[in-house]
Amino acid sequence: MASRTPTTSGRRWGSTLAGVLILCVMLFPLYWMLDTALQPASGLLQVDPVPSRPDLSGFSKALGDQGGHLLTSLAVSLGAVVLCLAVSAPAAYGLARFGLRGTRTIVFGTLITQMVPGIVIANALYDSYVELGLVNSYFGLMLADSSLGIPFSIVLMRSFMLSIPGEVVEAAQMDGAGPVRTFVRVVLPMSRNALITSGLFAFLFSWSDFMFALTLNTTDDVKPVTLGIYQYIGAHVGDWGSVMAASVLSAVPAAILLVLAQKYIAAGITGGSVK
Amino acid sequence: MTTSTVTVPARGAAGAPGPGRLRLRRRLAQWGFVAPAVVFMLLFFGYPLVRNVVMSFQHYTPETFFTGRAPFNGVDNWSHVLRDALFGRALWHTLVFTAGSLLGQFCAGLALAVFFSRRFPLNGVLRSLILLPWLVPMVVSGIVWRRILDQDTGVLNSFLDTLGLGGHTPWLTSPHLALLSVILVNIWIGVPFNMVILYGGLQEIPAELYEAASLDGASAWRTFRSVTLPMLRPVITVVLVLGFMSTVKILDLILALTDGGPADATQTLGTLTYQNSFVQLDFGAGAVVGNVLILVSAVFAVIYLRAGRSEGK
């Protein structure tokens, strides 16, 4: 698009201004969430556009009510990341390198699984979860949540590992390394970026999960923050300050990851889907 | 060079004894890498697909969870669900919700992608910050918008009021408006995803094509139509099909915004599956709706795979 004829710097800053305006419109709801969270609890009907007297009582109430659920989300999401990487990294390597019979079928199946609606999975799993004692358990939810990241990670990492030059792998084998050693010592370190991207997305998918949390839990024992907030509005519909404060807290990981790892996030959105 | 035909099968069997057994061991070790993922996907995707079909022919009641008995009842669930007027409405809402969301997300996403293809200061920073709505949990976005769209105390209505444009619109509480509101919120959520993928596609278009077009004196609109859109076509297919896949099954956003109401005006196949199974505890009826949802997705899965093949890989 960009013409290479020297545009005046004024015009380019004009584009920046337009970009900032677009950003303001797009991020307004998130700003409003933060703004409402900072209003004193009494000023509910009319929310000031800018919090004149920022009030942290909403946050302290939200932390008190939802702090435990935030920790649950964190534990479940980290567990799901570990499960997801442990299952999908070796598979991605195997599917990229070994030329096993059925590789094409498995890769095809991986693509298909990304199209299965979660509610259908929950519908069928609920029964088995009850029988296996996985309902209301951390491990049960981690397992279900890791299913959100596994197909995505296999696709993403496989396409990355296909691009590792074959000579590197063969050189390791010449030195007498078996497949496991080659994988751990050579392939994994080289795939660092793909691993980080996959892990990041497995975390985000799991952190955002609401459906499995809603359907595979019948008590309050294992309640991630997404479910916590959903039930919060039912019970505290007047107390928007703390609901919004809880929402802000639950959005913090996304914001942190975006700032710290934006290149991986952009890579994940394009790489995980287009390739 | 002819010797290579001899060395190739021997490769890896440098130690010598029993090359056949060694190869078998190597194959087994290799399958060890792939097997856990295959087992996992069979359990968490394959099994539910089959189970859901079986369940749709079984009679589930709240009692089933105590007795464990779910007798087969032929096509009772199917005829019951399909004859229910709510099912038809949910199917219609699903199609409207999906089509409306895709159209809005795509157009806005494409416009932003074109805009950010210009070179200007802070481009990269602004572009990545715009991703935030897509990364925030959907339930949370739903709840924030529920607050914004509130008829009496929401900021959207008070803003419209200040402009003198009414200001008492029942965005989420009117059966005529609720679906539209839910679609608009979902468009907001989906724009960043569309933008990133389309932006990536735009970067791949060779600059020479634009130079040639400008040498030919083509207008900006003409260039867009004759160069950008055709070159972008494969990416557009991917973005639309992936968007379809994720939109058609959305549950959390709708539950957070409207809970399927008012008067079932935002009930979709996804929420109806949930209602049937986990609220009414009739998993058989839930399975029927779920199967229809899968059928709808499958049609588009075929389109996706065909599009992927015609791209060359």
Side-chain angles (χ1 to χ4, degrees):
Chain A
M1 291 286 108
S3 55
R4 242 178 292 151
T5 49
T7 40
T8 62
S9 81
R11 251 189 77 186
R12 300 174 74 211
W13 281 103
S15 295
T16 306
L17 188 68
V20 171
L21 283 176
I22 292 171
L23 191 71
C24 288
V25 173
M26 280 299 285
L27 295 193
F28 174 77
L30 300 179
Y31 168 76
W32 201 246
M33 164 173 85
L34 185 62
D35 183 47
T36 312
L38 287 170
Q39 307 280 332
S42 55
L44 279 169
L45 287 184
Q46 226 48 57
V47 180
D48 295 334
V50 180
S52 46
R53 291 174 291 119
D55 178 290
L56 290 176
S57 64
F59 277 96
S60 66
K61 186 159 187 312
L63 265 184
D65 294 342
Q66 301 284 339
H69 306 321
L70 282 164
L71 289 180
T72 302
S73 284
L74 191 66
V76 170
S77 303
L78 290 177
V81 170
V82 172
L83 270 171
C84 170
L85 292 183
V87 169
S88 46
Y93 176 58
L95 293 172
R97 282 285 155 197
F98 294 159
L100 295 168
R101 262 170 159 235
T103 294
R104 282 178 60 119
T105 317
I106 297 171
V107 173
F108 179 77
T110 309
L111 291 172
I112 294 290
T113 57
Q114 288 184 288
M115 295 157 192
V116 182
I119 185 66
V120 171
I121 299 173
N123 201 44
L125 277 188
Y126 182 77
D127 232 13
S128 327
Y129 259 54
V130 172
E131 271 170 44
L132 295 169
L134 287 173
V135 177
N136 305 317
S137 78
Y138 279 89
F139 184 63
L141 192 55
M142 280 175 202
L143 263 181
D145 279 359
S146 69
S147 78
L148 301 168
I150 282 177
F152 174 88
S153 300
I154 292 179
V155 172
L156 186 89
M157 286 196 270
R158 177 173 175 267
S159 71
F160 183 87
M161 288 171 180
L162 280 171
S163 69
I164 295 180
E167 298 88 55
V168 179
V169 178
E170 274 150 32
Q173 281 162 350
M174 291 291 228
D175 292 342
V180 177
R181 254 185 82 167
T182 311
F183 175 65
V184 175
R185 289 288 173 79
V186 180
V187 176
L188 281 188
M190 288 186 76
S191 315
R192 201 177 132 254
N193 281 359
L195 279 167
I196 294 177
T197 308
S198 299
L200 214 115
F201 272 81
F203 183 88
L204 284 170
F205 290 157
S206 178
W207 184 273
S208 312
D209 167 64
F210 170 69
M211 213 251 334
F212 286 132
L214 178 69
T215 52
L216 298 179
N217 291 300
T218 51
T219 64
D220 286 350
D221 294 348
V222 183
K223 193 196 280 183
V225 70
T226 45
L227 184 57
I229 293 176
Y230 177 67
Q231 294 175 346
Y232 214 39
I233 47 167
H236 301 71
V237 83
D239 189 4
W240 280 103
S242 8
V243 174
M244 287 299 130
S247 304
V248 172
L249 292 174
S250 76
V252 162
I256 293 177
L257 290 177
L258 184 63
V259 172
L260 292 183
Q262 41 165 299
K263 84 168 180 190
Y264 298 104
I265 289 183
I269 296 179
T270 42
S273 43
V274 177
K275 282 170 191 162
Chain B
M1 284 304 124
T2 43
T3 47
S4 66
T5 44
V6 186
T7 50
V8 166
R11 191 167 52 111
R21 268 184 63 184
L22 266 179
R23 185 188 292 174
L24 181 71
R25 266 183 57 183
R26 205 181 62 183
R27 272 286 176 230
L28 281 178
Q30 290 179 336
W31 271 108
F33 279 76
V34 180
V38 173
V39 172
F40 186 96
M41 288 195 287
L42 285 177
L43 286 178
F44 274 83
F45 297 101
Y47 167 77
L49 284 178
V50 177
R51 182 85 183 87
N52 231 54
V53 173
V54 177
M55 271 171 112
S56 68
F57 298 104
Q58 281 180 297
H59 181 60
Y60 268 82
T61 60
E63 248 174 73
T64 306
F65 293 97
F66 297 103
T67 61
R69 282 187 313 133
F72 284 92
N73 61 354
V75 293
D76 281 8
N77 294 330
W78 286 85
S79 65
H80 191 251
V81 167
L82 297 186
R83 248 186 280 151
D84 187 355
L86 182 54
F87 173 80
R89 291 182 64 203
L91 180 62
W92 174 243
H93 294 157
T94 307
L95 297 177
V96 172
F97 174 74
T98 309
S101 299
L102 284 187
L103 190 70
Q105 291 171 357
F106 176 76
C107 293
L110 183 59
L112 287 189
V114 170
F115 173 78
F116 279 104
S117 295
R118 302 187 196 180
R119 267 180 237 164
F120 55 84
L122 299 181
N123 181 318
V125 179
L126 298 176
R127 198 155 31 87
S128 60
L129 282 177
I130 266 186
L131 288 176
L132 204 49
W134 190 73
L135 295 170
V136 169
M138 223 183 241
V139 181
V140 173
S141 302
I143 286 166
V144 173
W145 275 98
R146 182 159 156 177
R147 173 77 186 123
I148 291 172
L149 296 175
D150 189 276
Q151 185 179 0
D152 300 319
T153 64
V155 64
L156 181 60
N157 273 349
S158 52
F159 176 68
L160 291 176
D161 200 21
T162 339
L163 292 184
L165 294 168
H168 295 283
T169 316
W171 295 106
L172 293 171
T173 44
S174 145
H176 304 291
L177 277 178
L179 188 60
L180 178 71
S181 306
V182 174
I183 291 172
L184 290 175
V185 174
N186 192 43
I187 290 174
W188 174 78
I189 290 176
V191 165
F193 174 79
N194 281 261
M195 184 198 83
V196 171
I197 296 191
L198 293 168
Y199 176 85
L202 288 176
Q203 301 309 301
E204 309 257 304
I205 301 177
E208 296 89 64
L209 289 180
Y210 289 110
E211 279 157 26
S214 78
L215 281 180
D216 289 346
S219 67
W221 173 239
R222 183 67 210 263
T223 311
F224 180 76
R225 261 186 42 209
S226 313
V227 178
T228 311
L229 276 186
M231 292 297 288
L232 212 51
R233 243 187 71 189
V235 182
I236 290 177
T237 316
V238 167
V239 108
L240 286 181
V241 176
L242 287 173
F244 176 88
M245 293 301 164
S246 50
T247 307
V248 76
K249 61 187 178 189
I250 281 181
L251 181 76
D252 28 12
L253 179 70
I254 298 176
L255 287 186
L257 278 171
T258 61
D259 261 317
D264 292 318
T266 54
Q267 206 75 258
T268 59
L269 293 180
T271 61
L272 192 58
T273 308
Y274 170 73
Q275 293 283 346
N276 282 338
S277 293
F278 292 96
V279 180
Q280 324 264 352
L281 295 178
D282 186 348
F283 279 69
V288 171
V289 185
N291 284 329
V292 176
L293 184 55
I294 290 175
L295 271 178
V296 176
S297 305
V299 172
F300 280 80
V302 171
I303 298 176
Y304 174 65
L305 294 164
R306 287 197 136 180
R309 197 175 303 155
S310 64
E311 251 177 82
K313 266 186 194 174

